[in-house]
Structure formats: structure tokens, C-alpha cells
Amino acid sequence: MSTVVVVGAGQAGLAVSHELGQRGIEHTVLERSRIGQAWRDRWDSFTLVTPHWSLGLPGSPYEGSDPEGFVPRDDVVGYLEGYAASQAAPVREGVEVTRLARTEGRRLRLDTTEGPLEAAAAVVCTGSFRRQHRPEVLAGIPEDRVTRSADYRSPDELPDGPVLVVGGGQSGCQIAEELRLAGTDVTLACGRAPWIPRRLDGVDTVTWLARTSFYDLPLSALPAPAARLLSNPLVSGARGGHDLNWRTLSALGVQLAGHVAAVDDGVVAFADDLADSVAFGDARWADLREVLAAQLPARGYPVPELPVPAPFAAEPVPPIPLGELGAVVLASGFRPDYSWIEAPACDALGFPLTDDGESTEVPGLYFCGVHFMRTRASAVLFGVGRDAAVVAGRVAQGLAEAARL
């Protein structure tokens, strides 16, 4: 029986383990499969979208010679495995937590595939987005015709024929690009997503943004809770890193459509809102240009050239019979799934209700690695360590208070 159980051995769980260890707090990290499993589950050619320097968990800053390069999926996994080994993280792989609930006392009970555990505290680090979202409008597409982005591995594994990719976030755009480069005819049903250039004056745009307050934006500054579901900016780390947005995909030969409006009698129809989606993304880049221009000089950095996008001509796309498609790739995003926690710990969207990672509803329960838990950087590799330190401090305080009772 450990004093504290950490659930999940991705970047958040390992960072929390490091911080708990720094405070001398006994703990165990339970991982349902293997260290970094969420990264192992990405498609074969997946490449980290943020630069190499972002591999910087607490106690292990990036010290390589290519800070603005990009690493493939297996190297991210290797980094996390190496980090766990270097920190002697007490990870138990292959142990899934299937239920978490309060006991009659002040402890937590965790049912696992290796039996029940009790703990004074638990830190849930399973990630915000574990349940793939399938919009109701797609109900007319038979399940056996759909390949979820979580299951997609490579173009060779899809049936022959044109492909419809539904969802214009990072995954959808990257998969659409890969399929088109493999010679597949691709239609991408787009939603609203921001985008950024890959580099500005030879420096990665993520690096420029990290020099501003962009990643420090707190949850309280979002216009509405649903803003947490907005896509991350469109850009790619593949093949050395490059721009990836509506204009680059159109130039590549991907047919861009509005969002799926209906699926009736085996025919997929699209809304005439592509121009609106492009305008939305352009407006978000305009917002970021203002941030960069205003904040970089005050922080001692020059302002790079900030390109203004060229006009975009959006053409309506006629309905497509499902019979003409080889596959439909679902890439319409993910949603939180903490259904295994038997307590009212989350809001209406499924995100945990916390104060600096400490559950406001369940004593002894904490979270880390949640998108926008504290700031925009809460779930990214180079930001999760800050949250982990705060959460570990809250855990230590909670244990001390419980010991006095």
C-alpha cells in the first residue's frame, strides 16, 4: 500500500513522480500498458509538432545539438523511457486502474487489474483526451467503413480508393497530407482550427511564442469552457518541419470541403462553410501576430517578419456517395473520459474541477497533464513540469493536513 498512487506513466505521470520523489513522498506509478503508451499509439510516421527543445521534463532539460529539430514517435517514447530509468521512477507497467472511489474513511480505493489498492492520495495523469469523438451527424456511416485516427497507422493499411478525412485539426491535416503524398485522392472535411507558420526568420514559431505570454495564458482567460476543445495550431514536424494548413493542403491536391452537414442514403453532404473556417484560422494567426509584435521587444527579442496569408478561394464540394470511397478516416477530435472515477469530479464537458490540480470535489484526488488545467502549457512536454511541481506541493500539503487530523 503506497501513500500516493500516480495513475499513468506518460510525461505528466513521470513528472509528478519526479516531484514527489524530490519531496520524499512514497508513491507508485501505475501504467495500464507501457511507459509513454499514448505516444506509442500514434501512427507510424508521427513526428512531434513542437521542437526538440520541448523534450524537457523536470530534472532532464534538453541538452542536444539540434534544439529546433523534430523527433519521430519512437524517439519520444525512448525519451520517456530513458527519463523514467534515470529518475528510478517506481512504475508498474501493465496495471490498469478500472475504478477509483472514496472509502468510508478519508482514503481512496483504486480497483486495478491486479487487485484493489488503498491510498491516502491519488494523482490522475491519464491525459485529457482519451475518448475519440464521433459527431452524431456521422451516424449514417457504417462503423466498418470508419477508421478512427487513433487506429490509423499508415496509408498501406487503408482499403484502396479515395479517402474522406473528417476533421481539420492537427491529426486530420497530417493524415490527409500523408495520404495525398502516398498518391491517394483525399477530401478533407474541415472544421475551425488556428494555424501558424513553421518558422519565422529561421526560428520556429513555437520558440517565438514561448518567448511571450502565449503558453502562460490561464484557464480563467478563456472566453468559454468549450474553448478548451479548440484544435492546437496547424503545423507539422514531419520531414524536418513545415507549414501545414488549408493553403498548403489545397496546393498539394487535397480537396477541401466544409464540415459534414448530413449523411443520408449513403451520401455525404458538406456545409458551405469552408471560407468561414479559413477566415477563423487566419484571424487567430492575426491575433498571434499582435502578441508577437507587442511582447517580443519588451522581452528583448527582435520582431521577425510576420507574413500575412494570401487570399483563399473556397469552392463548394458536391456530395460524395460512400460507395465511391475506399475509407473514411475519423479525426474529429477527442474528449475527456474519467468515467472510471466514481465521484462528481468533472464539469459538464468532462474536464476535472481543480484548484491548481487539486480536486475541488474529492479530497485526496489530484490531476496533472490536463489540457488547460492551469495554463495553455499544462499538458505539453515543456510545460507539464511546472504543473507537476505545483501538484506535488499540494499533495504534500494535503498529506500533512491529514496527518494532523
Side-chain angles (χ1 to χ4, degrees):
M1 178 177 66
S2 291
T3 302
V4 178
V5 173
V6 178
V7 185
Q11 62 263 26
L14 295 176
V16 167
S17 175
H18 168 84
E19 295 296 336
L20 291 174
Q22 291 292 103
R23 291 162 175 78
I25 298 175
E26 177 195 9
H27 65 283
T28 299
V29 183
L30 302 183
E31 166 54 49
R32 64 183 173 86
S33 186
R34 300 168 65 191
I35 290 171
Q37 189 61 46
W39 296 100
R40 298 176 194 270
D41 291 340
R42 307 296 178 96
W43 61 91
D44 293 347
S45 67
F46 175 87
T47 304
L48 192 64
V49 172
T50 55
H52 208 160
W53 62 258
S54 66
L55 294 175
L57 293 179
S60 182
Y62 176 75
E63 296 178 345
S65 59
D66 186 22
E68 299 231 316
F70 299 92
V71 294
R73 175 195 66 188
D74 293 348
D75 286 0
V76 179
V77 173
Y79 170 78
L80 294 176
E81 289 181 320
Y83 181 78
S86 69
Q87 306 297 320
V91 178
R92 293 173 58 189
E93 294 183 310
V95 182
E96 182 177 6
V97 178
T98 58
R99 175 178 173 268
L100 185 154
R102 292 285 295 177
T103 66
E104 291 183 0
R106 295 182 57 85
R107 302 183 67 81
L108 296 174
R109 175 189 169 101
L110 296 90
D111 292 340
T112 81
T113 50
E114 291 192 355
L117 296 172
E118 280 197 9
V123 188
V124 175
C125 303
T126 54
S128 303
F129 302 120
R130 299 186 65 187
R131 175 175 59 84
Q132 184 130 29
H133 176 58
R134 179 168 177 169
E136 293 183 6
V137 72
L138 302 182
I141 302 178
E143 186 66 32
D144 61 2
R145 298 295 308 278
V146 175
T147 298
R148 297 173 184 269
S149 61
D151 300 322
Y152 171 81
R153 290 297 175 267
S154 71
D156 294 339
E157 294 189 358
L158 293 183
D160 293 336
V163 174
L164 169 64
V165 179
V166 180
Q170 281 187 353
S171 295
C173 289
Q174 290 176 42
I175 291 171
E177 181 188 50
E178 176 171 270
L179 291 170
R180 184 59 193 144
L181 289 173
T184 303
D185 290 334
V186 180
T187 297
L188 176 63
C190 305
R192 294 189 171 190
W195 63 270
I196 56 174
R198 180 73 277 179
R199 296 179 179 89
L200 300 170
D201 289 359
V203 176
D204 197 88
T205 301
V206 172
T207 303
W208 286 113
L209 289 172
R211 296 169 177 173
T212 72
S213 64
F214 178 75
Y215 287 105
D216 299 326
L217 185 76
L219 173 62
S220 59
L222 292 181
R228 294 170 94 168
L229 299 175
L230 179 65
S231 167
N232 289 319
L234 303 180
V235 70
S236 176
R239 303 186 308 282
H242 59 275
D243 290 1
L244 180 65
N245 52 57
W246 313 133
R247 292 171 175 82
T248 64
L249 289 169
S250 179
L252 193 63
V254 173
Q255 179 174 243
L256 302 179
H259 74 270
V260 175
V263 181
D264 293 318
D265 296 326
V267 177
V268 182
F270 305 97
D272 187 15
D273 62 356
L274 175 60
D276 293 337
S277 293
V278 174
F280 176 87
D282 290 351
R284 302 292 75 74
W285 170 233
D287 294 340
L288 291 181
R289 294 202 306 270
E290 291 184 4
V291 170
L292 292 166
Q295 294 190 19
L296 287 174
R299 299 185 180 209
Y301 296 102
V303 178
E305 182 179 354
L306 302 172
V308 176
F312 184 90
E315 299 293 336
V317 174
I320 300 177
L322 284 172
E324 296 180 3
L325 296 171
V328 176
V329 175
L330 177 66
S332 50
F334 290 77
R335 297 293 185 269
D337 183 7
Y338 297 102
S339 57
W340 50 278
I341 299 177
E342 292 190 1
C346 300
D347 65 15
L349 292 174
F351 288 98
L353 294 163
T354 77
D355 177 16
D356 277 348
E358 181 175 3
S359 174
T360 59
E361 311 302 312
V362 184
L365 181 60
Y366 304 81
F367 294 85
C368 192
V370 177
H371 183 54
F372 258 111
M373 185 178 80
R374 297 178 63 246
T375 69
R376 194 192 302 274
S378 284
V380 298
L381 280 159
F382 61 88
V384 70
R386 286 176 279 175
D387 278 20
V390 172
V391 170
R394 285 292 189 111
V395 172
Q397 181 181 356
L399 294 175
E401 292 175 352
R404 290 194 293 268
L405 294 178

